[in-house]
Amino acid sequence: MMQVHGIAAFDDNYIWAIQGENGKVAIVDPGDADPVLSYLQETGQQAVAILITHKHYDHVGGIADLKENYPDAVVYGPAGEPIQGLDYRLKAGDKVIIPGLQFRPEIMEVPGHTEGHIAYFGDGALFCGDTLFACGCGRVFSGTMAQLHRSLDKISELPGETLVYCAHEYTLDNIGFAKWVEPDNADLIQREDQVRAARQQQLPTVPSTLDLELRTNPFLRAHVQRVINAAEHYAGHSLDTDEAVFTVLRQWKDRDYD
Ligand code: ZN
Ligand code: FE
């Protein structure tokens, strides 16, 4: 199993460092170069690749500085977004092969948070940027609700044991909203206890597993009767499709919770 190290950045970002052979590392979403450079220098590793999920500054801001320090690092990112400094622009189904790395991710297009967001899936791990969060999902900025719903559906079909490496430590806050939707979900209540304990010790709550997300994350549960009931109650009318339920959940969180 490959080793992945989380580098904390800004207030609540995780920049993921995927370890390969002989100190070779791929860096996912380096919003800030400084903590990445410190980590690489302290551990005697070099960046050989940079994997970008989407265009937001807290995911791309460190590309130029990292390139300056590691000129041979190859920069991968989405074909559908305006990002400077990409060597390869990736589309659904593309496979990324990085010399020295066992991780050979396949590209998934997961628009919604942004219009061209991609995720990297391989070796039992999903690097999904701001699409799926632990017990939540990204806001809809430059994509659409329908896109984000479809993207999360696609992710839901991956194996349950998939490790979900999202880009922010939002879990405890997200659980608060999830409990508005499903106050009686026993898996969710148990998850809250575990997440609270981890955060008290300043431990990360990411990665999670897809299976845990399917049991506790309301945004992957728009087909579950309890979730449908809660969304219909909030909306004040019946909701005929999973997409309509998902959209109401996202609007509910945006308007009343965040
Ligand atoms: Zn973002
Ligand atoms: Fe972000």
Side-chain angles (χ1 to χ4, degrees):
M1 189 79 179
M2 66 179 178
Q3 296 293 313
V4 181
H5 176 78
I7 303 166
F10 306 113
D11 286 339
D12 52 33
N13 282 67
Y14 290 125
I15 299 170
W16 299 108
I18 305 167
Q19 330 268 335
E21 299 158 7
N22 305 321
K24 294 187 167 77
V25 177
I27 303 291
V28 183
D29 282 353
D32 186 2
D34 289 347
V36 179
L37 292 170
S38 311
Y39 165 73
L40 292 174
Q41 280 151 16
E42 279 160 23
T43 55
Q45 302 182 93
Q46 335 86 44
V48 295
I50 297 171
L51 307 177
I52 301 297
T53 63
H54 69 292
K55 65 186 180 181
H56 287 159
Y57 81 96
D58 63 313
H59 300 252
V60 304
I63 296 175
D65 276 4
L66 277 181
K67 261 299 237 197
E68 226 176 275
N69 284 270
Y70 299 96
D72 296 334
V74 182
V75 189
Y76 300 87
E81 298 202 346
I83 300 169
Q84 298 219 328
L86 297 187
D87 297 309
Y88 290 96
R89 297 181 170 273
L90 304 168
K91 290 202 185 77
D94 286 350
K95 199 153 178 141
V96 177
I97 297 177
I98 304 159
L101 254 82
Q102 156 192 340
F103 182 59
R104 293 185 166 187
E106 191 168 317
I107 301 311
M108 296 173 71
E109 287 180 7
V110 288
H113 174 69
T114 57
E115 72 280 13
H117 201 304
I118 60 172
Y120 298 82
F121 174 68
D123 221 342
L126 177 73
F127 296 87
C128 53
D130 290 353
T131 298
L132 174 63
F133 290 131
C135 224
C137 71
R139 280 171 184 263
V140 170
F141 285 116
S142 49
T144 67
M145 292 284 189
Q147 283 178 333
L148 186 55
H149 175 249
R150 255 197 314 275
S151 296
L152 293 173
D153 258 2
K154 249 188 270 178
I155 289 173
S156 296
E157 285 162 21
L158 297 175
E161 66 272 17
T162 301
L163 293 172
V164 177
Y165 290 90
C166 61
H168 291 269
E169 179 63 60
Y170 289 158
T171 317
L172 190 55
D173 192 50
N174 285 339
I175 286 173
F177 177 73
K179 284 171 62 194
W180 283 14
V181 181
E182 285 188 280
D184 301 324
N185 179 332
D187 291 324
L188 180 61
I189 292 162
Q190 192 186 11
R191 187 175 193 181
E192 183 180 27
D193 290 342
Q194 286 163 352
V195 164
R196 219 175 263 291
R199 294 309 295 154
Q200 264 158 18
Q201 299 171 65
Q202 278 144 5
L203 294 171
T205 65
V206 183
S208 63
T209 63
L210 183 58
D211 179 62
L212 180 61
E213 297 309 326
L214 290 169
R215 285 184 286 120
T216 56
N217 186 330
F219 296 100
L220 299 185
R221 294 169 61 76
H223 58 285
V224 172
Q225 193 59 49
R226 249 185 339 209
V227 175
I228 296 169
N229 293 347
E232 288 184 339
H233 183 80
Y234 176 79
H237 55 83
S238 70
L239 300 165
D240 297 335
T241 62
D242 291 359
E243 185 187 305
V245 173
F246 171 82
T247 300
V248 165
L249 292 173
R250 189 59 265 182
Q251 288 168 340
W252 184 4
K253 186 164 190 279
D254 289 344
R255 287 175 190 159
D256 294 357
Y257 185 79
D258 286 329

